[in-house]
Amino acid sequence: MGGKKKPTLSQLAKRQEKQQQQAQAKPAAKGKRAVAEERPTVKASLIDQKLLSDVEKEVIKWEYVTPYLVATRFNTKISVAYQILRALASKGTLVLVSKGHRTEVYTTPERLKQLAA
């Protein structure tokens, strides 16, 4: 019952000071750069023709395609991956194999014929 007590403001301030001191005291590891900390990765949130053509060239080689695979490989948002896959399906490059509540699975028409045979 109850739960964990929240720290006071002075406790939070002390904790932050300790973390800052530890971060400053840590020397950078040899041979490694802190580039990842300086520049956060920005995910694509718009569909452009270059991205669409890159995805189209790559996806043809895959056995199956899901929005998660496209989003992770091409560093896009999941919603953008859905839009890309739907555009490729309307174009005829991909075929919708299965659609559920949460995700969609696509494949190429050639692979679908192989599976059916």
Side-chain angles (χ1 to χ4, degrees), residues 7 15 19 27-30 39 45 50 54 57 63-64 67-68 75-76 81 85 91 96 98-99 102 106 108 111:
R15 187 181 304 161
Q19 288 175 350
K30 290 184 180 180
R39 279 187 275 159
S45 60
K50 183 180 182 301
D54 289 346
K57 289 176 189 174
E63 194 171 327
Y64 64 93
Y68 177 77
N75 198 22
T76 64
L85 292 178
K91 207 184 223 187
L96 181 65
S98 174
K99 181 176 179 178
R102 293 180 178 238
Y106 293 87
T108 58
R111 292 245 160 100

Side-chain angles (χ1 to χ4, degrees), residues 34-107:
V35 176
E37 294 175 2
E38 294 174 10
R39 279 187 275 159
T41 57
V42 178
K43 293 188 176 191
S45 60
L46 297 173
I47 299 175
D48 57 343
Q49 291 302 317
K50 183 180 182 301
L51 178 64
L52 193 61
S53 64
D54 289 346
V55 171
E56 186 174 4
K57 289 176 189 174
E58 187 70 25
V59 203
I60 293 171
K61 304 171 191 172
W62 298 350
E63 194 171 327
Y64 64 93
V65 186
T66 61
Y68 177 77
L69 291 174
V70 173
T72 54
R73 294 265 175 95
F74 294 97
N75 198 22
T76 64
K77 293 182 177 181
I78 295 281
S79 60
V80 174
Y82 272 106
Q83 292 174 2
I84 290 171
L85 292 178
R86 288 177 184 153
L88 292 176
S90 67
K91 207 184 223 187
T93 308
L94 294 176
V95 177
L96 181 65
V97 176
S98 174
K99 181 176 179 178
H101 171 69
R102 293 180 178 238
T103 191
E104 301 170 357
V105 180
Y106 293 87
T107 190

